[in-house]
Amino acid sequence: MPAGQATCLATSSSQNSHGAAATNAMRRSAGLPPVQANPVLARVAAQHACDMAQRGRMTHLGSKTSGPGPRVKAAGYAPRVTAENIAAGPFSQERVLSEWNASSGHLANIMIPQVRDYGIGQAIGPDGKTRFWAAVYAAPK
Protein backbone atom coordinates (compact mmCIF):
# COMPACT_ATOMS: atom_id res chain seq x y z
CA MET A 1 0.00 0.00 0.00
CA PRO A 2 1.37 3.42 -0.83
CA ALA A 3 2.20 5.99 1.79
CA GLY A 4 0.63 9.42 1.42
CA GLN A 5 -2.24 11.66 2.43
CA ALA A 6 -4.66 9.76 4.65
CA THR A 7 -8.13 10.73 5.84
CA CYS A 8 -7.90 10.68 9.62
CA LEU A 9 -11.22 10.29 11.42
CA ALA A 10 -12.24 10.98 15.00
CA THR A 11 -14.12 8.15 16.72
CA SER A 12 -17.65 9.08 17.72
CA SER A 13 -18.89 8.02 21.15
CA SER A 14 -21.50 5.81 19.43
CA GLN A 15 -18.82 4.04 17.35
CA ASN A 16 -16.75 3.50 20.49
CA SER A 17 -19.77 2.25 22.47
CA HIS A 18 -20.74 -0.09 19.62
CA GLY A 19 -17.23 -1.57 19.59
CA ALA A 20 -17.26 -2.01 23.36
CA ALA A 21 -20.67 -3.75 23.15
CA ALA A 22 -19.36 -6.21 20.51
CA THR A 23 -16.28 -6.83 22.66
CA ASN A 24 -18.46 -7.38 25.73
CA ALA A 25 -20.62 -9.94 23.92
CA MET A 26 -17.50 -12.08 23.41
CA ARG A 27 -16.21 -11.45 26.94
CA ARG A 28 -19.60 -12.30 28.48
CA SER A 29 -19.59 -15.70 26.73
CA ALA A 30 -16.34 -16.47 28.58
CA GLY A 31 -17.59 -15.14 31.94
CA LEU A 32 -15.27 -12.12 31.82
CA PRO A 33 -16.12 -8.65 33.16
CA PRO A 34 -17.18 -6.01 30.63
CA VAL A 35 -15.04 -3.26 29.16
CA GLN A 36 -16.05 0.41 29.13
CA ALA A 37 -15.78 2.60 26.04
CA ASN A 38 -12.95 5.02 26.88
CA PRO A 39 -12.56 8.27 24.89
CA VAL A 40 -8.80 8.53 25.62
CA LEU A 41 -8.20 5.03 24.24
CA ALA A 42 -10.41 5.83 21.23
CA ARG A 43 -8.27 8.89 20.51
CA VAL A 44 -5.07 6.81 20.83
CA ALA A 45 -6.53 4.13 18.51
CA ALA A 46 -7.62 6.73 15.93
CA GLN A 47 -4.19 8.40 16.00
CA HIS A 48 -2.48 5.04 15.44
CA ALA A 49 -4.88 4.16 12.60
CA CYS A 50 -4.03 7.54 11.04
CA ASP A 51 -0.29 6.91 11.46
CA MET A 52 -0.60 3.48 9.79
CA ALA A 53 -2.72 4.91 6.95
CA GLN A 54 -0.22 7.72 6.28
CA ARG A 55 2.61 5.19 6.14
CA GLY A 56 0.57 2.71 4.10
CA ARG A 57 1.43 -0.17 6.41
CA MET A 58 -0.24 -2.19 9.10
CA THR A 59 2.04 -2.41 12.13
CA HIS A 60 1.91 -2.20 15.91
CA LEU A 61 5.01 0.02 15.78
CA GLY A 62 4.12 3.67 15.56
CA SER A 63 6.25 6.14 13.64
CA LYS A 64 7.27 7.58 17.04
CA THR A 65 6.29 4.79 19.49
CA SER A 66 7.11 1.14 20.04
CA GLY A 67 3.57 -0.04 20.72
CA PRO A 68 0.25 0.67 22.42
CA GLY A 69 1.71 0.99 25.95
CA PRO A 70 3.79 4.10 25.22
CA ARG A 71 0.92 5.59 23.16
CA VAL A 72 -1.63 5.33 25.97
CA LYS A 73 0.90 6.62 28.54
CA ALA A 74 1.62 9.65 26.32
CA ALA A 75 -2.14 10.34 26.26
CA GLY A 76 -2.25 10.46 30.07
CA TYR A 77 -3.63 6.96 30.74
CA ALA A 78 -1.57 5.00 33.29
CA PRO A 79 -1.93 1.36 32.18
CA ARG A 80 -1.45 -1.83 34.12
CA VAL A 81 -1.98 -3.79 30.89
CA THR A 82 -2.40 -2.84 27.22
CA ALA A 83 -3.13 -4.77 24.04
CA GLU A 84 -3.98 -3.73 20.51
CA ASN A 85 -5.75 -5.21 17.50
CA ILE A 86 -5.14 -3.77 14.04
CA ALA A 87 -6.50 -4.41 10.56
CA ALA A 88 -6.40 -2.93 7.08
CA GLY A 89 -8.80 -3.55 4.23
CA PRO A 90 -12.21 -2.60 2.86
CA PHE A 91 -13.71 -3.26 6.29
CA SER A 92 -16.71 -1.61 7.93
CA GLN A 93 -16.64 -1.45 11.73
CA GLU A 94 -19.10 -4.38 11.84
CA ARG A 95 -16.81 -6.47 9.63
CA VAL A 96 -13.56 -5.66 11.44
CA LEU A 97 -15.11 -6.53 14.82
CA SER A 98 -16.37 -9.81 13.35
CA GLU A 99 -12.94 -10.58 11.83
CA TRP A 100 -11.19 -9.97 15.17
CA ASN A 101 -13.72 -12.16 17.00
CA ALA A 102 -13.02 -14.99 14.52
CA SER A 103 -9.22 -14.76 14.78
CA SER A 104 -7.54 -16.59 17.68
CA GLY A 105 -4.72 -14.05 18.06
CA HIS A 106 -7.07 -11.07 18.05
CA LEU A 107 -9.58 -12.85 20.28
CA ALA A 108 -6.80 -13.49 22.82
CA ASN A 109 -6.45 -9.70 23.24
CA ILE A 110 -10.23 -9.27 23.56
CA MET A 111 -10.29 -11.96 26.26
CA ILE A 112 -7.49 -10.64 28.50
CA PRO A 113 -9.23 -10.93 31.91
CA GLN A 114 -7.67 -7.76 33.41
CA VAL A 115 -8.79 -5.43 30.58
CA ARG A 116 -11.37 -2.82 31.66
CA ASP A 117 -11.22 -0.05 29.01
CA TYR A 118 -11.59 -0.04 25.25
CA GLY A 119 -11.17 2.34 22.33
CA ILE A 120 -11.40 1.92 18.55
CA GLY A 121 -10.26 4.16 15.71
CA GLN A 122 -10.03 4.19 11.94
CA ALA A 123 -8.46 6.10 9.08
CA ILE A 124 -8.78 5.86 5.31
CA GLY A 125 -5.59 5.22 3.36
CA PRO A 126 -4.26 7.31 0.47
CA ASP A 127 -6.11 5.08 -2.04
CA GLY A 128 -9.43 6.31 -0.60
CA LYS A 129 -10.65 2.71 -0.07
CA THR A 130 -8.45 0.94 2.46
CA ARG A 131 -9.56 1.44 6.06
CA PHE A 132 -6.92 1.12 8.74
CA TRP A 133 -8.34 0.06 12.11
CA ALA A 134 -6.88 -0.05 15.61
CA ALA A 135 -8.53 -1.11 18.86
CA VAL A 136 -6.81 -0.57 22.20
CA TYR A 137 -7.61 -2.66 25.26
CA ALA A 138 -6.26 -1.52 28.63
CA ALA A 139 -6.65 -1.51 32.37
CA PRO A 140 -5.58 1.35 34.64
CA LYS A 141 -3.06 0.94 37.43
Side-chain angles (χ1 to χ4, degrees):
M1 284 175 263
Q5 184 64 45
T7 303
C8 298
L9 305 167
T11 304
S12 72
S13 60
S14 65
Q15 286 170 321
N16 209 32
S17 294
H18 176 74
T23 300
N24 286 334
M26 296 303 289
R27 290 177 64 84
R28 197 168 28 257
S29 70
L32 294 172
V35 296
Q36 309 247 346
N38 181 291
V40 173
L41 297 186
R43 192 169 65 250
V44 169
Q47 287 167 347
H48 185 59
C50 178
D51 184 41
M52 290 190 296
Q54 289 169 338
R55 293 185 292 150
R57 52 190 291 245
M58 198 174 73
T59 174
H60 291 286
L61 295 175
S63 53
K64 298 181 181 82
T65 57
S66 59
R71 289 192 283 276
V72 301
K73 284 179 190 159
Y77 184 104
R80 182 167 45 111
V81 62
T82 58
E84 179 177 71
N85 284 345
I86 57 175
F91 303 138
S92 65
Q93 183 174 2
E94 233 15 86
R95 167 100 186 266
V96 80
L97 293 167
S98 166
E99 295 283 337
W100 287 335
N101 287 342
S103 157
S104 61
H106 295 101
L107 190 56
N109 284 340
I110 291 166
M111 297 298 198
I112 295 169
Q114 297 83 359
V115 165
R116 295 293 175 269
D117 294 318
Y118 167 91
I120 192 167
Q122 68 175 308
I124 302 168
D127 66 2
K129 294 183 287 234
T130 305
R131 287 189 183 259
F132 288 80
W133 289 93
V136 179
Y137 308 86
K141 284 188 175 159

